[in-house]
Amino acid sequence: MAEKTQQELLQIRYTPPRRDWMDPSVDFEARRGSWSYPAAGKNLTYLGFPNPREWSPADEDWKLPDNWREIIYEGFRERLKKFRSLRVFLDTCVRCGACADKCQFFLGSGDPKNMPVLRAELLRSVYRRDFTTAGKILGGLAGGRELTPEVLKEWYYYFYQCTECRRCSVFCPYGIDTAEITMIARELMNLVGLNINWVMEPVANCDRTGNHLGIQPHTFKDNVEFLCDELAEITGLRIDPPINKKGAEILFIVPSADYFADPGIFTFMGYLLLFEHIGLDYTLSAYASEGGNFGLFTSHDTIKRLNYKMYAEAKRLGVKWILGGECGHMWRVIHQYMDTMNGPADFLEVPKSPVTGTVFDHTASTKMLHICEFTSDLIKNGRLKFDPSRNDRYRVTFHDSCNPARGMGILEEPRYVLKSVCNHFYEMPDNTIREQTFCCGGGAGLGNDENMEMRLRGGLPRANAVQYVHEKYGVNLLTCICAIDRATLPTLMDYWVPEVGVSGVHELVGNALIMEGENERPTDLRGEPIGDKEAASDV
Amino acid sequence: MLDGGLIAARRSALLSLWWDSAVEAFPGETRSFLAREKDRFQNPVGATLRSGLMAILDALLTDADDAELERAAQAIVKVRAVQGVPAGEALAFVFGLKKAARAALGEQAETAGGRRELEALENAVDRLALLAFTSYVGCRERIFAIRSRELQRRTASLLRQTAGVDLSDPGADDLPDSDPDCAFEGGSTA
Ligand code: SF4
Ligand code: SF4
């Protein structure tokens, strides 16, 4: 009997049935944990987006409009006309495979449809069948696929599994940007009401109140004051940052998580200490109270709509230029889209540091400067007083967040700042940082709770490199300059490398700054004893 | 008794057969990638599998105790536990060792010595399966705890501010154990 059982065991085939990749079928029920909840109808209604309703991807019937196929074809046609890049990206791929193993979602999950080339092929196959001559004649032989409800469901599954991180594009010899293909696929899905709530709720909130969380001006003020109270306790200094101050020189905009959630709030405290240290004439805004722009994950029109608010507020307040905090996709929007959408911002002046006199010519068109560039310049000119030993409990590494790194080339500045404010800094391996950085796994609206397991998979390559420096150098703090990272990396670390905590760069700046009139600081900004050399993996 | 025996002598053939069976759980396109890319940072799953299978086999061949065996299996289990496959599929690689060992021994499997060693190995694999299952459950429990911790982190500041409630964060050390000592990738460096 035992022998027979053993024989039976040996016969078990663990291989999933082989299927052609073109066969689209996603069992949403079985794959919970790998997809995001759909947008609530109220958010679509608020924004005037089509087909608001309550539904679930696990349902058989997705309650699409009857003519959904025509809507998508028409939308596709329009976009092919409008974006030359789209046609180029769809036409030029030679399927060389250089991008195939570069996506962290493929590396972590092993699902071939997470190879960028196959992800793009989901859209490309429909394009080939219906928008190219060869496809119209040869159909499936030319690699064309009919747009069926199953194909659409597959789009939903895989295009909401791409964080639009652009890692794959770094390796494509033709410069094909799969993130742009994902963006168009999401735009098309939006036309028939296929969107995710973690994107549309922030978009609706941002449209209404100026930030993702729907925080209204009085609460914004309370939040900031609360953080100032905590800061006063730690440093003995009372800082009252101006809010909506007309005529200030600079408007400072941060991602909302920085004044709302751990561990971003410590980064926010760092900004405030920095500005106090140099006596900056700046203002926060309770309306432009969000740097993040989830329009980037929705549609080009939505990017424009949300980005506009920052410039409208700069105009209303009469500031000279805008300084931006440690945000991720805010910078991708500023660097790659703002100028053609809402720019040039002629009513503002080219950013010039009031402390050092440095003029930041590269921002001449957008008039918006990254805080790491601003701080680096201050350090370079010897304007900041630091005691880096206050960060001695940390052995620090830096995660290049996809958007500032690949989207705008902010690579050196955060490193320069970090090396100035802490004594122990270690790089992760070369092929996991800078332009080649791995995504946190939670960008582009995927940082939600229900999709957590997909994030743990997609974040594995990043965590793997952190694990390496943790073992080799004892690294216990992973720093970054993106609010989505600060929200999702702690979770990633909790699973893969629990000894490592997460912080923003300006949190460490705030710790190290020697402020005039401050207390002997017993604790750092987290309230942890400064002399304590223990790791801080609790945030 | 396996140390220095017939199976130990066929270690590399066995590892290669076991690898083949372990990667059968992945689709074809993925399988070839897992084997091909040798850089541990560009192929963390492949590297974890490779070093994990090796660590487990060496632990079994040297008659390691439960703790050591569990640690050896942990790396692969931790990866498989988040790959969205049912528990049985996630742990199937363990049983692949039985078949691989038999095949690696070839005709020697039928000798008295071969039979004795196979029986010992198969018993050890059963022990390994239970340990792997325990650590799989540990990983899953950790995921649930991490999920609630994430939620706490998102709301802690708000609660402190509006309700004066200071949630005491358990800290990573207090999450259910999925063996934090254990690197999920134990292989050589890049
Ligand atoms: S953009 Fe990033 S997430 Fe999307 S396919 Fe490319 S590598 Fe993957
Ligand atoms: S690297 Fe570029 S050309 Fe090659 S398969 Fe990927 S997208 Fe196509």
Side-chain angles (χ1 to χ4, degrees), chain B residues 29-96:
Chain B
E29 298 88 335
T30 309
R31 252 178 266 162
S32 53
F33 167 74
L34 290 175
R36 190 183 64 242
E37 176 59 69
K38 295 292 186 290
D39 183 322
R40 68 173 271 197
F41 300 108
Q42 300 306 312
N43 180 10
V45 172
T48 301
L49 265 179
R50 195 178 303 282
S51 59
L53 295 183
M54 216 183 289
I56 295 171
L57 184 60
D58 290 343
L60 288 174
L61 291 179
T62 54
D63 206 14
D65 62 17
D66 280 3
E68 203 177 318
L69 192 53
E70 187 176 351
R71 211 168 15 251
Q74 174 79 40
I76 299 178
V77 171
K78 201 166 173 181
V79 169
R80 294 299 279 152
V82 293
Q83 287 191 316
V85 290
E89 204 179 308
L91 299 179
F93 74 93
V94 170
F95 297 101

Side-chain angles (χ1 to χ4, degrees), chain A residues 103-105 116 119 162-168 178-179:
Chain A
C103 175
Q104 47 279 325
F105 290 101
R119 194 190 306 284
C162 165
T163 49
E164 302 179 6
C165 77
R166 304 178 75 230
R167 185 168 198 271
C168 48
T178 302

Side-chain angles (χ1 to χ4, degrees), chain B residues 96-126:
Chain B
L97 177 55
K98 293 188 180 184
K99 194 173 169 184
R102 194 170 283 275
L105 281 187
E107 286 175 2
Q108 286 179 323
E110 297 310 322
T111 64
R115 267 205 295 274
R116 230 183 1 259
E117 281 197 31
L118 278 176
E119 195 186 326
L121 184 80
E122 284 166 3
N123 287 338
V125 168
D126 291 344

Side-chain angles (χ1 to χ4, degrees), chain A residues 9-208:
Chain A
L9 253 184
L10 294 178
Q11 299 311 315
I12 295 177
R13 278 177 50 82
Y14 298 111
T15 319
R18 270 174 209 281
R19 282 192 329 231
D20 192 298
W21 80 266
M22 286 174 90
D23 168 21
S25 62
V26 177
D27 183 346
F28 281 86
E29 192 54 57
R31 297 201 195 176
R32 280 187 186 275
S34 312
W35 46 268
S36 307
Y37 294 152
K42 65 171 180 139
N43 292 322
L44 300 191
T45 305
Y46 175 79
L47 290 163
F49 271 50
N51 202 15
R53 68 209 184 284
E54 301 306 319
W55 66 287
S56 165
D59 296 342
E60 183 56 33
D61 178 9
W62 283 19
K63 302 183 189 164
L64 296 170
D66 291 340
N67 60 339
W68 65 269
R69 201 177 277 111
E70 286 74 53
I71 296 175
I72 288 190
Y73 279 144
E74 190 44 43
F76 211 155
R77 231 184 314 276
E78 245 176 61
R79 282 159 185 78
L80 284 167
K81 231 185 273 161
K82 194 164 157 196
F83 303 112
R84 209 181 134 260
S85 57
L86 176 61
R87 199 177 272 278
V88 171
F89 289 163
L90 291 174
D91 282 336
T92 45
C93 173
V94 292
R95 296 210 188 88
C96 69
C99 63
D101 52 5
K102 301 302 186 291
C103 175
Q104 47 279 325
F105 290 101
F106 167 67
L107 295 181
S109 70
D111 178 348
K113 284 190 187 172
N114 275 315
M115 292 176 173
V117 54
L118 287 192
R119 194 190 306 284
E121 202 64 24
L122 300 175
L123 192 71
R124 192 175 280 125
S125 54
V126 171
Y127 164 77
R128 202 173 285 124
R129 178 181 184 273
D130 294 299
F131 295 93
T132 66
T133 319
K136 280 182 190 149
I137 300 165
L138 297 170
L141 289 177
R145 243 178 11 159
E146 192 188 344
L147 183 58
T148 61
E150 286 69 35
V151 168
L152 191 64
K153 289 181 177 186
E154 203 179 34
W155 282 13
Y156 183 89
Y157 188 67
Y158 288 103
F159 287 119
Y160 287 112
Q161 267 180 20
C162 165
T163 49
E164 302 179 6
C165 77
R166 304 178 75 230
R167 185 168 198 271
C168 48
S169 73
V170 172
F171 299 89
C172 175
Y174 298 93
I176 294 172
D177 188 349
T178 302
E180 295 269 346
I181 293 179
T182 295
M183 286 167 72
I184 293 295
R186 289 189 181 191
E187 273 202 41
L188 296 177
M189 287 191 284
N190 269 312
L191 299 175
V192 293
L194 300 182
N195 8 47
I196 63 173
N197 204 49
W198 199 255
V199 170
M200 298 316 284
E201 179 115 7
V203 167
N205 284 341
C206 207
D207 199 67
R208 188 169 51 243

Side-chain angles (χ1 to χ4, degrees), chain A residues 418-429:
Chain A
L418 284 169
K419 287 176 191 166
S420 308
V421 300
C422 61
N423 290 319
H424 310 291
F425 178 79
Y426 306 90
E427 290 282 13
M428 286 182 273

